[in-house]
Amino acid sequence: MTRGGAMGLEPAVRLVRRVAAGRRHPLVLVDGPSGAGKSTFAAVLVRGWPGAEPVVVRVDEAIPGWRGLRRGAAALAVSLVGPNSRGAVGAVHRWDWLADRGGGVQRVRPGRALVVDGCGAFRAGRDRPDAIRVWVDAPYIERRERALARDRGAFDPYWDEWEADWRRYLVRAALNEHAVIRVRLGDRAARGA
């Protein structure tokens, strides 16, 4: 696995699958800033997964509001990743973003690979040293454009608040230093656009 330069999407997906192949029920943590392409990476990873399709849990489904990144990711460590590691049913306590309050609970049965995708995924898997950690990044301007386009205006008023929370979280946790596989998506300058 690489700690050096970043890889593109397909080589990194192949590497994750190769590393996971020797593990019984692997945990893949896909982290990085908003709009970087984490969900795209996770979708491509799962689409060609050999055997039973992994369970995908998106961290943002469990983050309690625009300033709850650290709290939501830490809660997933306790309610989902910990029980899953012990072969028990885990839980994702969902957040209803439109109502700005707690939502339902998703139960996650053990026995399949688990992909935790989103800002804070490394924190959610902090107690699993055997986890495959993938850091996905892209240039700030492209990340912002993608995130705002993806949510069709619903995210616009919150971008600065979320980005500030993300940066505070990143500085405290030094998350990207724990990445085993680094993926860089975007960079129009490199493509000549």
Side-chain angles (χ1 to χ4, degrees), residues 30-41 60 66 69 117-120 135-151 155 159 162-163 166-167 183-188 191:
V30 183
D31 207 331
S34 186
K38 298 175 300 297
S39 295
T40 299
F41 180 87
D60 61 353
W66 295 108
L69 174 57
D117 153 36
C119 298
W135 183 263
V136 181
D137 205 351
Y140 173 83
I141 291 172
E142 289 183 51
R143 292 192 305 99
R144 185 176 187 279
E145 286 174 3
R146 275 198 293 250
L148 297 181
R150 172 188 65 210
D151 295 325
F155 190 11
W159 171 263
W162 177 260
E163 186 71 11
W166 164 254
R167 289 179 186 272
V183 181
R184 177 103 171 153
L185 300 178
D187 200 359
R188 282 179 263 184
R191 296 191 313 261

